[in-house]
Amino acid sequence: MDQELDDRKKKILKAIIKTYMETGEPVGSRTISKFADLNVSSATIRNEMSDLTDMGYIVQPHTSAGRIPSDKGYRLYVDELMKEKESEVQEIRDLMIEKTDKLDKMLKQVAKVLASNTNYATMISVPQYSGSKIKFIQLSRVTPLQLVAVVVSDNNVIRNQIINLDEEMDDQTILKLNLLLNTNLNGVPIQDINLGMIARLKEQAGVHGSVVGTVLDAVADTIQVDEDDMQIYTSGATNIFKYPELADTSKASELISAFEEKQDLVDLVKERMSDTENTGIQVYIGDEMPVQTMKDCSVVTATYELGKGMHGTIGIIGPKRMDYANVVDSLKALKVQLDELIKKES
């Protein structure tokens, strides 16, 4: 906060503002003394509140012994709140970029090792998110007629949404919308946000209902799996030519194309992810395959987990006469190693 405020004054000012926001009533020293992180007497708090009044951060309504925040106090609180949130968003971003880079390298290596060990073609998908809860939402001003909504989920997925305004919005209104959104949505599973909840929040936001609607659109985006964004790493596609029944020119061409274009592999992963009942080892033989180009193959898949709510798919593609026992053992061992590696990197 401001340079002229020491830590104790900052804490007391923050406590006054938070209490006043919750109650709408002037705040006295006795109420503030109950905040666990202060550990000072009511007399000390009264002295500090007197200093804060002299400095213009709080004011005393003439009919009350308590204090309420001044515009200067609100401004300081909002600036500090935005700084804290921006810092947290940046830290999460940096961490996720670093983790993503490490994860990509690790998954590419996994596909390569698996192809080498089994002599079949392999694939592994980058984990997708499911079951996310909202961690926090931050609305900040970009220009007089633009806001940015930053939505962060509990597995630290970040979505930014630019919101265009018809007229300029003051700091007090932005603060109130931040409080409305976070009070109602923090910790709520994203899939539980329904039309009734959206309508209620829009109604509470009054003339700014459209802003709330746009923010909730950004929230919905955090659980949509964009097929273009789904990354799949492959290895050992040329191993297919080692098996005469798959080396036929047209069959091999179809399979190699599937590995290069990856759309069929995306379809396979989506099918696998939709099967929430079976997250262990799954074997598809011939016509059981959900994608047409692999009807002459067998595919063995497993689901691995990266933290809460994040799942990926490992797959081994080979002829119907593949060594199932060896493939299943390889996948089981790899699944355990991958889970351990990921926990170590977390």
Side-chain angles (χ1 to χ4, degrees):
M1 284 189 177
D2 199 299
Q3 288 297 314
E4 64 187 327
L5 294 184
D6 59 31
D7 284 343
R8 190 159 66 196
K9 283 188 176 66
K10 290 175 189 176
K11 282 182 180 177
I12 290 170
L13 177 59
K14 191 173 181 180
I16 291 168
I17 291 173
K18 288 183 81 171
T19 306
Y20 181 64
M21 282 176 181
E22 287 167 11
T23 66
E25 299 289 334
V27 184
S29 57
R30 184 174 291 182
T31 303
I32 297 303
S33 68
K34 293 173 186 172
F35 278 75
D37 60 343
L38 284 172
N39 294 320
V40 291
S41 67
S42 290
T44 302
I45 291 171
R46 277 196 297 275
N47 289 335
E48 296 285 25
M49 287 173 74
S50 177
D51 288 347
L52 287 167
T53 304
D54 292 342
M55 294 163 130
Y57 290 108
I58 54 177
V59 294
Q60 182 176 16
H62 65 278
T63 55
S64 169
R67 305 291 200 281
I68 65 172
S70 67
D71 288 352
K72 183 179 177 183
Y74 275 128
R75 162 48 55 201
L76 198 58
Y77 176 77
V78 171
D79 287 349
E80 185 68 13
L81 184 73
M82 291 302 108
K83 263 194 288 186
E84 283 174 14
K85 291 302 182 190
E86 278 159 19
S87 170
E88 187 172 346
V89 167
Q90 192 55 51
E91 280 172 20
I92 291 170
R93 245 188 210 140
D94 292 344
L95 183 65
M96 289 307 286
I97 288 167
E98 184 186 335
K99 277 192 169 183
T100 301
D101 188 45
K102 283 183 182 175
L103 182 65
D104 286 354
K105 286 176 183 169
M106 184 170 69
L107 295 182
K108 285 175 185 173
Q109 187 61 25
V110 165
K112 192 174 176 182
V113 169
L114 202 53
S116 175
N117 289 348
T118 62
N119 262 325
Y120 301 127
T122 60
M123 55 157 280
I124 185 163
S125 71
V126 172
Q128 300 295 327
Y129 305 92
S130 61
S132 303
K133 292 180 182 177
I134 293 173
K135 187 173 181 180
F136 69 79
I137 295 169
Q138 177 193 333
L139 288 176
S140 306
R141 182 182 285 103
V142 181
T143 69
L145 289 175
Q146 270 191 336
L147 300 177
V148 62
V150 179
V151 181
V152 182
S153 67
D154 61 346
N155 42 32
N156 291 336
V157 180
I158 300 170
R159 288 284 184 273
N160 296 327
Q161 181 79 37
I162 293 291
I163 300 170
N164 294 308
L165 304 173
D166 293 329
E167 56 184 49
E168 194 171 344
M169 192 179 285
D170 61 32
D171 294 335
Q172 185 78 358
T173 304
I174 294 172
L175 177 63
K176 283 180 180 173
L177 287 176
N178 272 319
L179 288 168
L180 172 70
L181 289 163
N182 285 290
T183 303
N184 285 279
L185 297 175
N186 276 11
V188 174
I190 292 173
Q191 62 268 31
D192 288 357
I193 297 173
N194 53 36
L195 291 173
M197 187 184 290
I198 293 169
R200 182 168 54 79
L201 286 174
K202 280 186 171 183
E203 187 180 344
Q204 287 180 36
V207 294
H208 304 296
S210 62
V211 173
V212 168
T214 306
V215 173
L216 293 175
D217 287 342
V219 170
D221 286 344
T222 65
I223 54 168
Q224 288 174 359
V225 177
D226 188 340
E227 290 179 19
D228 295 334
D229 288 344
M230 188 188 283
Q231 284 187 292
I232 295 178
Y233 300 120
T234 61
S235 188
T238 53
N239 285 342
I240 288 163
F241 295 116
K242 295 177 182 176
Y243 306 98
E245 63 268 48
L246 297 178
D248 170 270
T249 308
S250 62
K251 288 178 184 174
S253 173
E254 272 191 350
L255 283 169
I256 295 296
S257 176
F259 271 77
E260 285 176 352
E261 294 173 17
K262 297 187 179 173
Q263 184 54 53
D264 285 341
L265 300 182
V266 168
D267 292 342
L268 177 61
V269 171
K270 282 175 66 185
E271 176 76 21
R272 188 71 175 82
M273 286 173 67
S274 68
D275 186 7
T276 52
E277 296 298 312
N278 191 343
T279 55
I281 306 284
Q282 185 81 15
V283 180
Y284 300 94
I285 301 170
D287 288 337
E288 296 170 359
M289 275 296 298
V291 292
Q292 189 62 41
T293 51
M294 297 182 187
K295 295 290 185 187
D296 294 308
C297 305
S298 282
V299 178
V300 183
T301 65
T303 301
Y304 71 91
E305 187 172 344
L306 168 60
K308 191 179 175 186
M310 297 170 66
H311 299 90
T313 299
I314 316 166
I316 298 176
I317 298 104
K320 293 176 189 176
R321 60 184 172 96
M322 70 160 60
D323 184 345
Y324 292 101
N326 177 46
V327 166
V328 169
D329 286 345
S330 295
L331 272 183
K332 278 182 179 172
L334 182 65
K335 190 175 181 298
V336 171
Q337 289 168 6
L338 196 54
D339 287 345
E340 285 174 0
L341 268 172
I342 285 164
K343 279 172 193 161
K344 201 181 292 181
E345 293 290 343
S346 297

